[in-house]
Amino acid sequence: GDSVTQMEGPVTLSEEAFLTINCTYTATGYPSLFWYVQYPGEGLQLLLKATKADDKGSNKGFEATYRKETTSFHLEKGSVQVSDSAVYFCALTDGSGNTGKLIFGQGTTLQVKP
Amino acid sequence: NAGVTQTPKFRVLKTGQSMTLLCAQDMNHEYMYWYRQDPGMGLRLIHYSVGEGTTAKGEVPDGYNVSRLKKQNFLLGLESAAPSQTSVYFCASSSRTGRVYEQYFGPGTRLTVT
C-alpha cells in the first residue's frame, strides 16, 4: 500500500540555519503531496502542497518540490526562526481513489534555538 | 467562520466506559475524517465519510463507530473504552477541486483511558 517515510527527529538548528527535512513516498497512481505543521498543543495546519510531478509548493519561506523520479518531497527553508519550532508531517492522498484520505509520515520535530 | 471544531477538548475515561466525540465543520465540505495521533506514529485514519449518511473504515477502525447524520457533523463513538485508545483524536474535513483534496483539521481531543 501507499506509504510515507520521513527522516527521524528531532532536528535541532540554530536560528538562521538552513533546514531540510527529507520525505520519500511509495504510491500508485498520481498522488498529491503535502506538508503539514503542528505547533505545540494545536491541530495540523497545511503548510504547502504539490499536485503533480515537478510542481513546487511554497509558503512562509518553506519550499518542497514533487520529484517523481526519486519519489521525494523534501521540505526546505533557507533561514529558520525560533517560531518555526514545531512538528512537521509529510503526507499524500491516494492518487487512484476518490476519498481524499491522507497517509502521513511519522512526523519530524524541529527545534530552533536562538 | 469557525472552520472545524471538536468537542470536548479533554476527557478522562475509565476502562469500559463509553463516550462520543463531536466534530463540526461550517465549510460545507462533503468529506470528513477521524484520525488518531500517537507518539512516533504520525496520524492514522480511523473512519471517514464521503458524504452525509455514508461512512467507511480507515486503517485502525476497531473499537470505534461513527455516524454522519448531518453533513456538517461527524461523530466518533467509543462503546467500551480501553487503555490502548488513549490518544489525541483529530477530525478533519476536506474540500475537493478536481482530483485535489485539501484537508482542514480541528484542534484535537486528548483522551486518556485509565
Side-chain angles (χ1 to χ4, degrees), chain A residues 30-32 34 36 38 41-46 49 51-52 87 89 93-95 97-107, chain B residues 31 33 35 37-38 40-45 48-50 57-58 88 90 94 96 99-108 110:
Chain A
Y30 303 94
S32 296
F34 303 84
Y36 281 85
Q38 183 179 34
E42 298 184 9
L44 278 70
Q45 301 175 25
L46 178 64
K49 68 181 181 186
T51 60
K52 60 183 186 297
V87 182
F89 292 94
T93 52
D94 178 5
N98 60 354
T99 64
K101 294 184 290 183
L102 279 170
I103 296 170
F104 286 89
Q106 72 270 36
Chain B
Y31 303 84
Y33 313 84
Y35 296 90
Q37 182 180 26
D38 301 294
M41 301 188 73
L43 278 76
R44 293 178 292 168
L45 183 65
Y48 65 99
S49 169
V50 299
K57 294 180 180 180
V88 181
F90 288 99
S94 178
R96 177 181 179 180
R99 65 174 186 86
V100 179
Y101 299 79
E102 189 167 313
Q103 288 194 20
Y104 298 82
F105 283 79
R110 184 173 295 275

Side-chain angles (χ1 to χ4, degrees), chain A residues 4-82:
Chain A
V4 176
T5 302
Q6 291 180 233
M7 63 187 288
E8 294 277 343
V11 174
T12 303
L13 296 173
S14 297
E15 207 165 22
E16 298 184 3
F18 184 85
L19 168 71
T20 300
I21 300 178
N22 290 336
C23 171
T24 57
Y25 68 90
T26 302
T28 55
Y30 303 94
S32 296
L33 302 174
F34 303 84
W35 277 101
Y36 281 85
V37 59
Q38 183 179 34
Y39 298 103
E42 298 184 9
L44 278 70
Q45 301 175 25
L46 178 64
L47 182 59
L48 55 84
K49 68 181 181 186
T51 60
K52 60 183 186 297
D54 300 325
D55 266 4
K56 177 185 282 188
S58 61
N59 186 25
K60 299 181 182 179
F62 291 89
E63 293 183 341
T65 301
Y66 189 148
R67 301 282 188 204
K68 194 169 177 64
E69 64 276 12
T70 55
T71 62
S72 64
F73 193 55
H74 304 321
L75 182 68
E76 296 182 336
K77 186 176 186 184
S79 176
V80 294
Q81 305 300 312
V82 172

Side-chain angles (χ1 to χ4, degrees), chain B residues 74-96:
Chain B
F74 195 29
L75 278 63
L76 178 71
L78 286 72
E79 291 186 345
S80 179
S84 61
Q85 294 177 304
T86 293
S87 188
V88 181
Y89 292 85
F90 288 99
C91 176
S93 69
S94 178
S95 63
R96 177 181 179 180

